[in-house]
């Protein structure tokens, strides 16, 4: 799987989704915003919850968002669809370098990935790289059928948030 996706922002915001080997997924996207601004959208709960849930997931909302974005900190995201049943995703931050890099675990199951997001300044724009390493080929396959499918939409929503904020 290696695809280029043009977003509505045009050529400069091209997104790439690439499967590397049996256990890795790499998504890149350029944002027309400084790295500090993109980093804040990933590290401040009040911003993160405005773009993380895909609008196409009708009825699903982020009912709880706890993020202690620092090396050794933890996060817990709880999603609901209107009823009393919720689904939680949680883990810990292995490495946080403000405006440059966030690395976290996905601890909700045995087949959890380690995710690294980097923010590379490119003269007022930011090249974001979302990199996940899964413990097995099967875990990657499951993600490609599930959560990873939403990434292009999520990153488009992030772009919309960044475009509306200015700095």
């Amino acid at each position: 799987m290696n695809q280029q996706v043009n977003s509505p922002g045009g050529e400069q915001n091209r997104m790439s989704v690439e499967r590397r080997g049996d256990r890795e997924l790499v998504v890149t996207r350029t944002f027309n915003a400084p790295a500090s601004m993109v980093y804040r959208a990933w590290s401040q709960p009040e911003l993160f919850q405005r773009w993380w849930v895909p609008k196409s997931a009708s009825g699903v909302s982020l009912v709880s968002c706890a993020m202690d974005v620092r090396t050794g900190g933890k996060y817990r995201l709880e999603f609901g669809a209107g009823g009393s049943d919720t689904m939680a995703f949680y883990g810990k931050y292995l490495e946080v370098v403000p405006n440059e890099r966030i690395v976290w675990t996905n601890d909700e199951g045995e087949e959890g990935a380690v995710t690294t997001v980097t923010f590379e300044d490119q003269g007022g724009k930011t090249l974001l790289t979302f990199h996940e390493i899964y413990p097995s080929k099967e875990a990657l396959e499951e993600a490609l059928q599930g959560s990873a499918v939403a990434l292009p939409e999520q990153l488009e929503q992030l772009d919309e948030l960044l475009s509306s904020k200015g700095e």
Side-chain angles (χ1 to χ4, degrees):
M1 172 182 174
N2 188 359
Q3 67 184 59
Q4 297 287 325
V5 179
N6 282 327
S7 64
E11 188 69 23
Q12 73 275 12
N13 291 342
R14 176 173 288 201
M15 183 168 52
S16 164
V17 179
E18 179 185 355
R19 177 183 180 154
R20 292 187 186 161
D22 287 342
R23 301 181 334 143
E24 292 183 62
L25 176 66
V26 179
V27 178
T28 60
R29 163 94 188 242
T30 301
F31 294 93
N32 191 18
S36 61
M37 191 174 176
V38 181
Y39 171 82
R40 280 197 306 275
W42 281 85
S43 61
Q44 293 180 357
E46 63 276 8
L47 295 175
F48 184 83
Q49 58 193 351
R50 289 176 55 191
W51 65 270
W52 186 250
V53 178
K55 290 177 183 155
S56 66
S58 60
V60 175
S61 64
L62 186 52
V63 296
S64 173
C65 179
M67 300 167 65
D68 181 10
V69 185
R70 61 181 174 81
T71 301
K74 295 185 177 186
Y75 73 91
R76 182 179 175 87
L77 307 175
E78 199 167 338
F79 297 88
S84 60
D85 290 339
T86 60
M87 179 181 287
F89 295 87
Y90 53 89
K92 60 186 168 291
Y93 295 101
L94 301 176
E95 179 184 4
V96 176
V97 180
N99 305 324
E100 293 179 20
R101 175 183 181 92
I102 304 173
V103 182
W104 69 87
T105 63
N106 296 272
D107 294 341
E108 61 277 351
E110 291 180 19
E111 294 289 302
V114 173
T115 305
T116 301
V117 176
T118 58
F119 311 89
E120 183 183 325
D121 180 50
Q122 298 190 323
K125 294 184 180 195
T126 302
L127 174 62
L128 179 131
T129 302
F130 180 95
H131 181 238
E132 288 192 311
I133 300 178
Y134 292 85
S136 68
K137 179 179 180 178
E138 294 74 26
L140 173 58
E141 293 298 331
E142 184 177 317
L144 290 171
Q145 301 304 313
S147 59
V149 172
L151 274 170
E153 183 178 358
Q154 289 169 295
L155 295 180
E156 186 59 35
Q157 290 173 183
L158 172 57
D159 189 54
E160 290 169 14
L161 174 68
L162 295 168
S163 297
S164 70
K165 286 195 63 68
E167 188 172 68

